[in-house]
Amino acid sequence: MTYYRMECCYNLGLFVLGMLLICVPTADGQSVRLSGGYSKSSGRVEVLHSGQWGTVCDESWDNDDAVVVCRMLGYSRGSAYSYAVFGQGSGLIWMSDVDCSGSESSLLDCPFPGWGISTCSHKDDAGVVCFNNTDLSEVAVRLVEREGYYNSSGRVEVFYDGYWGYIGSRNWGNNDAQVVCRMLGYSVGHSASEFRQSHEAYDRKQPTWMEYVRCNGSESSIADCPFGGWGVFSSSYYYNYQTTASVACTGQRDIDERAVRLVDGFSPGSGRLEVFYAGQWGTVCESYRWGVQDDQVVCRMLGYSESVHYDDNPFPSGTGMVWMSEVGCSGTESSLYDCPFDGWGSTCSHSRDVGVFCFNNTDGSEVAFRLMEVDGYHNRSGRVEVFYAGLWGYVGYHNWDDKDADVFCRMLGYRTGKGHHVTHDVDFGNLQHPTWMDYVNCNGTEITLADCQFGGWGSSYVRSSMSSASVSCLSQSDFDERAVRLVDGFSLGSGRLEVFYAGQWGTVCDSNHWGVQDDKVVCRMLGYSESVHYYDNPFPSGTGMVWMSEVGCSGTESSLYDCPFDGWGSTCSHSRDVGVFCFNNTDGSEVAVRLMEVDGYHNRSGRVEVFYAGLWGYVGYSSWGDKDADVVCRMLGYRTGKGHHVTHDVDFGNLQHPTWMDYVNCNGTEITLADCQFGGWGSSYVRSSMSSASVSCLSQSDFDERAVRLVDGFSLGSGRLEVFYAGQWGTVCDSYRWGVRDDQVVCRMLGYSESVHFDDNPFPSGTGMVWMSEVGCSGTESSLYDCPFDGWGSICSHWDDVGVFCFNNTDGSEVAVRLMEVDGYHNRSGRVEVFYAGLWGYVGYHNWDDKDADVVCRMLGYRTGKGHRVTHDVDLDNLQHPTWMNYVNCNGTEMTLADCPFGGWGSSYVRSTMLSASVSCLSQSDVEELAVRLVGGFSNSSGRVELFYAGEWGTICDGSWDNNDAQVVCRMLGYRRGSAYRYAVFGEGTGITWMSDVGCSGSESKLFHCSFSGWGSTCSHDYDVGVVCFNDSDVSDVKFRLVEVDDYKKSSGRIEVFYEGYWGYVGSTNWHVNDAHVACRLFGYSTGSAHNYQYRFEGIERPKPTWMDSVKCIGSETSLADCAFDGWGVFRGAGSSYQNCAFVKCTGFLGTCLFSASTGVKSTAILPLAIAYQ
């Protein structure tokens, strides 16, 4: 135990001296600096005055003062620290009682008593931590392991502005812990007891970044929770400790804490490097030290033998944390984590993220090569790519020449080749291929390119504008030098026109001269008899060379090359490339028609397409009428038809069909459409928004004109009602007259015996026609069409479409039940669904109780059950299940739910927020039924009491809760004694409150043997009960201490007692001067006075037990433990956020006359914390 003596210093002489001198700035112009910190932005504040540096006293020092200091140093934010946490200065103390508003530009502008006026010692030197606002995506958390804790528990630290820092424990609870643990990859988190982080005296290593955190538990990051602000905390704390937040996380993590991965690359072995630390992935900074050896270590970790080093990362940049920087591997390490680096967390920019490419060498048997088309080159010219180790990659241009090209072209079956290099764009931020070869040096006789000398597999040569090896191969047999072709069309005879010249393909410009005669020449060259002229090219534009322009054929030429044109090469744009369609006429025997569905039309209505010369094509709308429609419909097997025209979109830059016919003019008696008069096969009519011929055909044999159907339902017998009229389907309006009888008629038409009436349609709304409205069936009709209605066609909205559910009753032998999980219930608890008539459906909540639940649970193999009702969302615009049962009323003895009385199969009860029957079934083996546990306490033996019943944990309400009840709980948990706590002092629970008004005698072996008001309570979680359990301990281990409170003198404070391994409170009930005399003598004083002190907890989470209360000393005892009191752990109660504590003011200090346990006295005293630091 060490004692410190306070020293006072009055520097009045220095004050006088300071009035005669002026402030001398440093060479860099600054008159303030930080010393002794863990970074350049933290430390003890020192100011320059009269040519000499001195410190600032922490009297009145706060964040407003800190902000001014930090602004002077180029930072936007600042936090104030006291008690010389960055070490004691030496020499002068220049300033004290500084009182900045926070808006000043210099600390010297703030009010203070004057230079050198201070009564402080250097133990009171002020400090600051300066920082700038940071992107919250870089915020991370980690757990620092505490003694004896697993690595899933510990003190929470948060990474912000490039540094790890503490989170203060004030307000810290389970919701906050839940967010932290999810960030670290765990499923569940609990707040652990607050942790006092000791520092080496006057040597703070980290800032306090957060305090007063108030999460609701659903946030994805701790930075999303409300809190007091970055760097804002309630006090400067004592100089040698920090009270911090701690958590205990549970739930398996799926990632090794020392893993690496490569992401956003072109293969599993390539991409941006990320490392896993503190529960999240982060990147690695490509500092100047990162090199080949670092790549090798990474690739070896991932199971690869080879690596390629990139000086700059060619993959997408990451987000969030940059975990490592200044990595310096030797290359022999087994893990990147074994290499030296700058420590976890870096302020490095993501623009410098490391990218790595790893691969395994192969025997080369799979090596292949290909040509990639560049700027319109023909398929014997282009950029060279090589296939190796499962990937296609580039070949660098260095040393590439004709000998290399000869080898490559011979591999492709050509005689010889010419080597070039071609520049092509590479998305450097999202690399798609490696560079496999570079510095290729063939002698020209090799069999494959892999036989040539080169720089080795895998090259770091990658550029955003990259030069790669390319070739032009000569003497191919498939076409001569004066060929034409059509590409990117809808057939071999259609597409963009290209001509071959000088070893490569190029397009032809559609200048003012190009016309029908030019098309004819091209088609004749390609072996076709007919051509269609397009004024604008409806096919994709080309790339590369435009070889010909201003072509002017007479139409008699045998080759396009014989026609006059402007000469080889043109500056014409590719937007004017020529497009051509060629075909051969046939005898017409293959002509057919089909209907293409448009806007929901039935398959006997739609757009007309005709088949000719091997292709389906459009029919133009010009002159189209009912007589033309009659011919089409008879071809399709219908009696007659009605002609329309329909507008549809055509991708004019990528035409998929020709227009075969236009200006059709039938007399109505023709056998096929080809027998009618029309403008001839092949029309130039093509538009991006095109009007084509369409028809509606009548009297098809698959259903009659008076059919009904149900669509978009959850079964064949459910959905939106539609009727067929005038060749198309339409809906029925759910007007005020539609009812049960109308449903019955529809279901009978469809072959069902039963129907369910919905007041509102729970299925998707229709489109198109609304055919019927104001339908009023009596229920006896054989067809809906026999019922009275308002006539064909209605202006009713599709919001009012009728929905119907039809089914057939069964013998019930297939009836089954299942439980659907709701809000995290266990798999023997949940919403009840029943299987009937081939469908699963809901069970309504009306009349639902424990007897109904018993039947369901027995059907599922459990002993008994408890009935609830549960609210769940139903998509009323797209219903997925019927409601099969409602108003169930079992007596509890039935074999199945179908044996109970209920409202009949099929119920109209459906709601968007629906109440359904649910159960909790008992007697499963995974958790003992009616077990108890303690949650949220300061130890394993303390906390909120929770009871397991009906498959889930729930709390107990504190009505009538006392020590007898606590005694029973603690005995169940293996302890001999227990103290009762109320008002949720160990935190509020969630979910069910199972018990209330518990009344134990104290002798019961189980809590449920005590009287209580029945399972389930509406009691608020504000009243959750708690206990502290303990065993009778040897009182020779009892200690007492005096804890300084607020601004009281060092000889005053709150009394705490150490018992059963924990410090706890002494209650103030009956606290008297005799008790105070005994207490003060324990602490080395001659006498004392008794007082009450109300100690308020942060939030409602109790950090300690109350061990003693109602102490009654006679005044002569040597220890408080010798006095009469109500018993260990027995007290008169505590408020939800406070404890009335025994408080003393001692006088007459007797020196070091302390009692020791070794003397045989029952207790040990410890001096007040403000005087003696343990």
Side-chain angles (χ1 to χ4, degrees):
M1 191 174 295
T2 305
Y3 298 89
Y4 294 96
R5 180 166 55 88
M6 299 292 293
E7 297 184 32
C8 297
C9 179
Y10 299 89
N11 296 315
L12 297 179
L14 291 174
F15 165 66
V16 174
L17 178 63
M19 298 295 290
L20 300 176
L21 299 176
I22 60 172
C23 181
V24 181
T26 60
D28 61 3
Q30 283 289 13
S31 56
V32 64
R33 70 183 180 186
L34 302 181
S35 301
Y38 51 80
S39 68
K40 65 179 182 180
S41 58
S42 65
R44 180 179 61 254
V45 179
E46 297 184 354
V47 294
L48 182 68
H49 181 67
S50 300
Q52 188 170 355
W53 289 99
T55 62
V56 178
C57 176
D58 64 10
E59 290 291 337
S60 303
W61 188 255
D62 60 21
N63 284 353
D64 289 337
D65 309 313
V67 166
V68 174
V69 169
C70 292
R71 194 182 300 117
M72 293 177 70
L73 296 172
Y75 298 94
S76 61
R77 304 284 297 279
S79 300
Y81 290 78
S82 301
Y83 300 110
V85 296
F86 295 110
Q88 297 183 30
S90 60
L92 294 169
I93 300 175
W94 273 132
M95 303 177 78
S96 181
D97 293 293
V98 179
D99 187 19
C100 301
S101 67
S103 61
E104 294 85 354
S105 58
S106 169
L107 192 67
L108 309 184
D109 298 332
C110 301
F112 68 103
W115 295 106
I117 299 176
S118 172
T119 60
C120 296
S121 77
H122 280 295
K123 288 190 290 186
D124 302 309
D125 284 345
V128 297
V129 171
C130 300
F131 57 99
N132 294 310
N133 285 327
T134 299
D135 183 357
L136 296 185
S137 66
E138 297 180 5
V139 172
V141 294
R142 70 180 179 187
L143 298 185
V144 178
E145 188 172 335
R146 292 165 54 179
E147 183 177 353
Y149 275 56
Y150 297 108
N151 57 8
S152 59
S153 302
R155 184 183 76 244
V156 183
E157 292 189 356
V158 61
F159 188 82
Y160 181 75
D161 196 42
Y163 295 98
W164 289 102
Y166 305 120
I167 298 178
S169 63
R170 286 176 168 82
N171 280 0
W172 189 258
N174 286 340
N175 287 343
D176 313 309
Q178 189 76 14
V179 175
V180 167
C181 291
R182 270 204 314 276
M183 290 179 72
L184 294 173
Y186 297 96
S187 59
V188 179
H190 297 286
S191 170
S193 57
E194 68 181 23
F195 180 60
R196 176 172 289 184
Q197 171 62 36
S198 296
H199 308 300
E200 185 177 338
Y202 308 123
D203 189 18
R204 172 177 277 263
K205 300 298 187 185
Q206 295 172 250
T208 299
W209 278 136
M210 304 177 80
E211 194 172 45
Y212 292 106
V213 179
R214 301 180 298 282
C215 302
N216 61 33
S218 63
E219 295 86 354
S220 58
S221 168
I222 195 77
D224 299 331
C225 302
F227 64 101
W230 292 107
V232 178
F233 53 96
S234 60
S235 70
S236 300
Y237 297 100
Y238 291 107
Y239 72 94
N240 67 339
Y241 72 88
Q242 163 76 61
T243 306
T244 61
S246 295
V247 299
C249 301
T250 57
Q252 186 62 40
R253 300 173 70 159
D254 58 358
I255 302 175
D256 175 10
E257 184 64 28
R258 293 166 62 87
V260 298
R261 68 179 182 186
L262 300 176
V263 293
D264 293 338
F266 48 73
S267 68
S270 66
R272 178 180 66 255
L273 174 61
E274 294 190 353
V275 296
F276 192 75
Y277 178 73
Q280 71 181 97
W281 290 101
T283 62
V284 177
C285 180
E286 185 178 10
S287 54
Y288 298 108
R289 296 185 65 182
W290 186 271
V292 174
Q293 292 89 343
D294 308 295
D295 295 313
Q296 290 170 343
V297 172
V298 169
C299 292
R300 210 163 41 241
M301 287 181 73
L302 295 170
Y304 295 96
S305 61
E306 308 299 326
S307 64
V308 173
H309 177 70
Y310 295 119
D311 292 323
D312 296 301
N313 175 27
F315 306 108
S317 297
T319 58
M321 293 303 301
V322 179
W323 274 135
M324 302 175 83
S325 181
E326 300 296 332
V327 180
C329 300
S330 67
T332 60
E333 295 86 352
S334 59
S335 169
L336 190 68
Y337 295 78
D338 299 330
C339 302
F341 64 101
D342 261 5
W344 294 109
S346 169
T347 57
C348 185
S349 166
H350 280 293
S351 64
R352 298 179 62 193
D353 287 344
V354 167
V356 178
F357 170 38
C358 307
F359 66 97
N360 288 316
N361 273 328
T362 73
D363 62 4
S365 59
E366 89 285 20
V367 172
F369 296 89
R370 68 181 179 188
L371 287 183
M372 302 303 293
E373 185 175 331
V374 178
D375 293 337
Y377 273 45
H378 184 256
N379 59 3
R380 60 174 169 168
S381 300
R383 188 182 73 244
V384 179
E385 289 194 357
V386 58
F387 186 82
Y388 179 74
L391 297 171
W392 286 102
Y394 306 123
V395 176
Y397 75 101
H398 298 95
N399 293 343
W400 188 259
D401 59 17
D402 290 349
K403 291 182 179 179
D404 309 313
D406 280 346
V407 175
F408 183 82
C409 290
R410 282 202 308 276
M411 291 177 66
L412 297 179
Y414 299 99
R415 186 184 74 235
T416 186
K418 183 171 180 61
H420 318 278
H421 65 263
V422 63
T423 301
H424 58 106
D425 292 332
V426 171
D427 185 352
F428 194 77
N430 190 17
L431 188 65
Q432 298 300 303
H433 300 283
T435 301
W436 274 131
M437 304 177 77
D438 202 6
Y439 295 96
V440 179
N441 188 16
C442 302
N443 60 33
T445 63
E446 294 86 352
I447 303 298
T448 78
L449 208 60
D451 298 330
C452 302
Q453 296 178 14
F454 64 101
W457 293 111
S459 167
S460 62
Y461 173 65
V462 178
R463 301 289 186 273
S464 56
S465 183
M466 183 166 169
S467 291
S468 291
S470 66
V471 299
S472 295
C473 298
L474 306 181
S475 297
Q476 190 180 27
S477 62
D478 58 351
F479 51 78
D480 62 28
E481 186 65 26
R482 293 163 62 88
V484 298
R485 68 180 182 184
L486 300 176
V487 293
D488 292 337
F490 48 74
S491 66
L492 294 175
S494 65
R496 179 182 65 254
L497 174 62
E498 294 189 353
V499 296
F500 192 74
Y501 178 73
Q504 70 181 97
W505 290 101
T507 62
V508 177
C509 180
D510 184 5
S511 56
N512 298 327
H513 280 85
W514 188 270
V516 174
Q517 292 84 352
D518 307 298
D519 294 315
K520 288 179 179 177
V521 173
V522 168
C523 291
R524 209 162 39 242
M525 288 182 72
L526 294 171
Y528 296 97
S529 61
E530 308 298 328
S531 63
V532 172
H533 178 69
Y534 294 119
Y535 293 102
D536 295 301
N537 174 29
F539 306 108
S541 297
T543 57
M545 292 301 300
V546 180
W547 275 135
M548 302 176 82
S549 181
E550 301 294 333
V551 179
C553 299
S554 65
T556 60
E557 294 85 351
S558 59
S559 170
L560 190 67
Y561 295 79
D562 298 333
C563 301
F565 63 101
D566 264 3
W568 294 109
S570 169
T571 59
C572 186
S573 166
H574 280 293
S575 63
R576 298 178 62 192
D577 287 345
V578 166
V580 178
F581 170 37
C582 307
F583 64 98
N584 289 314
N585 272 328
T586 72
D587 61 5
S589 60
E590 88 284 20
V591 171
V593 293
R594 68 181 179 187
L595 300 185
M596 304 303 291
E597 185 175 331
V598 177
D599 292 337
Y601 274 44
H602 186 258
N603 58 5
R604 60 172 170 170
S605 300
R607 187 182 75 243
V608 180
E609 290 192 357
V610 61
F611 186 81
Y612 179 74
L615 296 172
W616 287 100
Y618 306 123
V619 177
Y621 76 101
S622 302
S623 303
W624 189 260
D626 290 347
K627 292 181 178 179
D628 310 310
D630 280 346
V631 176
V632 169
C633 291
R634 280 203 307 278
M635 290 179 71
L636 295 172
Y638 300 99
R639 186 182 73 240
T640 185
K642 184 171 180 62
H644 318 277
H645 65 264
V646 64
T647 301
H648 57 105
D649 293 332
V650 171
D651 185 353
F652 193 76
N654 190 17
L655 188 64
Q656 299 299 305
H657 301 283
T659 301
W660 273 132
M661 304 177 79
D662 203 5
Y663 295 98
V664 179
N665 188 13
C666 303
N667 60 32
T669 62
E670 293 86 352
I671 303 299
T672 76
L673 203 61
D675 299 331
C676 302
Q677 296 179 17
F678 63 102
W681 293 109
S683 167
S684 63
Y685 174 65
V686 178
R687 301 289 185 273
S688 58
S689 182
M690 183 166 170
S691 291
S692 292
S694 66
V695 299
S696 296
C697 300
L698 306 183
S699 297
Q700 189 181 25
S701 60
D702 58 351
F703 52 78
D704 63 30
E705 186 66 26
R706 293 159 65 85
V708 298
R709 68 180 181 184
L710 299 176
V711 294
D712 292 337
F714 49 74
S715 66
L716 294 175
S718 66
R720 180 182 65 253
L721 174 62
E722 294 190 354
V723 296
F724 192 76
Y725 177 74
Q728 72 181 97
W729 290 99
T731 63
V732 178
C733 180
D734 185 5
S735 54
Y736 297 108
R737 297 184 65 183
W738 187 271
V740 174
R741 296 181 180 87
D742 308 297
D743 294 316
Q744 290 170 343
V745 172
V746 169
C747 291
R748 215 164 34 240
M749 289 181 72
L750 294 170
Y752 295 97
S753 61
E754 308 299 326
S755 64
V756 173
H757 177 70
F758 295 117
D759 291 324
D760 296 301
N761 174 29
F763 305 109
S765 298
T767 57
M769 292 301 300
V770 180
W771 274 135
M772 302 176 81
S773 182
E774 300 295 332
V775 179
C777 300
S778 66
T780 61
E781 295 85 353
S782 60
S783 170
L784 189 68
Y785 296 79
D786 298 332
C787 302
F789 64 100
D790 263 4
W792 294 109
S794 168
I795 58 172
C796 186
S797 165
H798 280 292
W799 286 109
D800 297 316
D801 287 345
V802 167
V804 178
F805 171 38
C806 306
F807 65 97
N808 289 315
N809 272 330
T810 72
D811 62 5
S813 60
E814 89 283 21
V815 170
V817 293
R818 68 180 179 187
L819 299 184
M820 304 304 290
E821 185 174 332
V822 177
D823 292 338
Y825 273 44
H826 189 261
N827 60 4
R828 59 172 169 170
S829 301
R831 189 182 75 244
V832 180
E833 290 193 358
V834 62
F835 186 80
Y836 178 74
L839 297 172
W840 287 102
Y842 306 123
V843 177
Y845 75 101
H846 298 93
N847 293 343
W848 190 259
D849 60 17
D850 290 349
K851 292 181 180 178
D852 310 312
D854 279 347
V855 176
V856 168
C857 291
R858 280 202 308 276
M859 290 178 71
L860 295 172
Y862 299 100
R863 185 185 76 240
T864 185
K866 183 171 179 64
H868 318 277
R869 65 186 196 189
V870 64
T871 301
H872 58 107
D873 293 331
V874 171
D875 186 352
L876 261 190
D877 292 326
N878 190 15
L879 187 64
Q880 298 299 305
H881 301 282
T883 300
W884 272 133
M885 305 177 80
N886 204 359
Y887 296 97
V888 179
N889 189 15
C890 303
N891 61 31
T893 62
E894 294 85 353
M895 297 297 294
T896 77
L897 205 60
D899 299 331
C900 302
F902 64 100
W905 291 110
S907 167
S908 62
Y909 173 66
V910 178
R911 300 289 186 274
S912 58
T913 297
M914 185 164 168
L915 289 171
S916 290
S918 68
V919 299
S920 296
C921 298
L922 306 185
S923 296
Q924 192 179 25
S925 62
D926 58 348
V927 179
E928 179 192 352
E929 193 67 30
L930 300 166
V932 295
R933 68 180 181 185
L934 303 181
V935 179
F938 50 78
S939 67
N940 292 334
S941 58
S942 65
R944 179 178 64 254
V945 180
E946 293 191 355
L947 176 76
F948 192 77
Y949 176 72
E952 66 178 296
W953 290 99
T955 62
I956 299 174
C957 180
D958 67 9
S960 305
W961 189 256
D962 60 19
N963 283 354
N964 288 336
D965 309 312
Q967 192 83 358
V968 175
V969 169
C970 291
R971 196 180 301 115
M972 291 177 70
L973 295 170
Y975 298 93
R976 290 195 297 274
R977 303 284 298 280
S979 299
Y981 289 79
R982 302 168 63 184
Y983 301 112
V985 296
F986 294 111
E988 297 179 14
T990 58
I992 293 287
T993 300
W994 274 134
M995 302 176 80
S996 182
D997 297 305
V998 179
C1000 301
S1001 67
S1003 62
E1004 296 86 352
S1005 61
K1006 300 287 185 182
L1007 191 64
F1008 63 90
H1009 292 161
C1010 304
S1011 62
F1012 63 101
S1013 58
W1015 294 110
S1017 169
T1018 59
C1019 186
S1020 164
H1021 283 293
D1022 294 339
Y1023 301 102
D1024 287 345
V1025 307
V1027 298
V1028 171
C1029 299
F1030 56 98
N1031 296 307
D1032 291 321
S1033 292
D1034 184 354
V1035 294
S1036 64
D1037 293 330
V1038 172
K1039 300 182 181 72
F1040 292 88
R1041 68 181 179 187
L1042 189 60
V1043 180
E1044 185 190 49
V1045 173
D1046 300 334
D1047 297 324
Y1048 284 88
K1049 295 180 179 179
K1050 310 305 187 218
S1051 57
S1052 302
R1054 169 170 50 81
I1055 298 174
E1056 291 189 356
V1057 57
F1058 186 82
Y1059 180 74
E1060 189 70 18
Y1062 296 99
W1063 287 102
Y1065 306 115
V1066 177
S1068 63
T1069 306
N1070 295 329
W1071 187 251
H1072 188 266
V1073 65
N1074 288 344
D1075 312 314
H1077 287 331
V1078 175
C1080 287
R1081 281 201 304 275
L1082 272 170
F1083 301 124
Y1085 295 90
S1086 61
T1087 188
S1089 57
H1091 305 273
N1092 170 67
Y1093 180 77
Q1094 192 176 82
Y1095 182 71
R1096 292 196 169 271
F1097 310 131
E1098 297 297 339
I1100 59 171
E1101 296 199 13
R1102 169 176 280 264
K1104 299 173 187 176
T1106 299
W1107 280 134
M1108 302 176 73
D1109 201 9
S1110 298
V1111 179
K1112 305 180 190 67
C1113 301
I1114 61 175
S1116 61
E1117 295 88 350
T1118 58
S1119 168
L1120 285 176
D1122 298 331
C1123 301
F1125 61 100
D1126 283 353
W1128 293 108
V1130 179
F1131 63 102
R1132 299 294 178 88
S1136 61
S1137 60
Y1138 65 89
Q1139 166 72 54
N1140 288 318
C1141 296
F1143 185 91
V1144 294
K1145 294 181 180 179
C1146 300
T1147 57
F1149 185 55
L1150 301 176
T1152 58
C1153 184
L1154 299 178
F1155 296 92
S1156 170
S1158 62
T1159 64
V1161 179
K1162 291 182 180 179
S1163 59
T1164 300
I1166 297 175
L1167 281 182
L1169 294 183
I1171 299 175
Y1173 293 86
Q1174 298 186 78

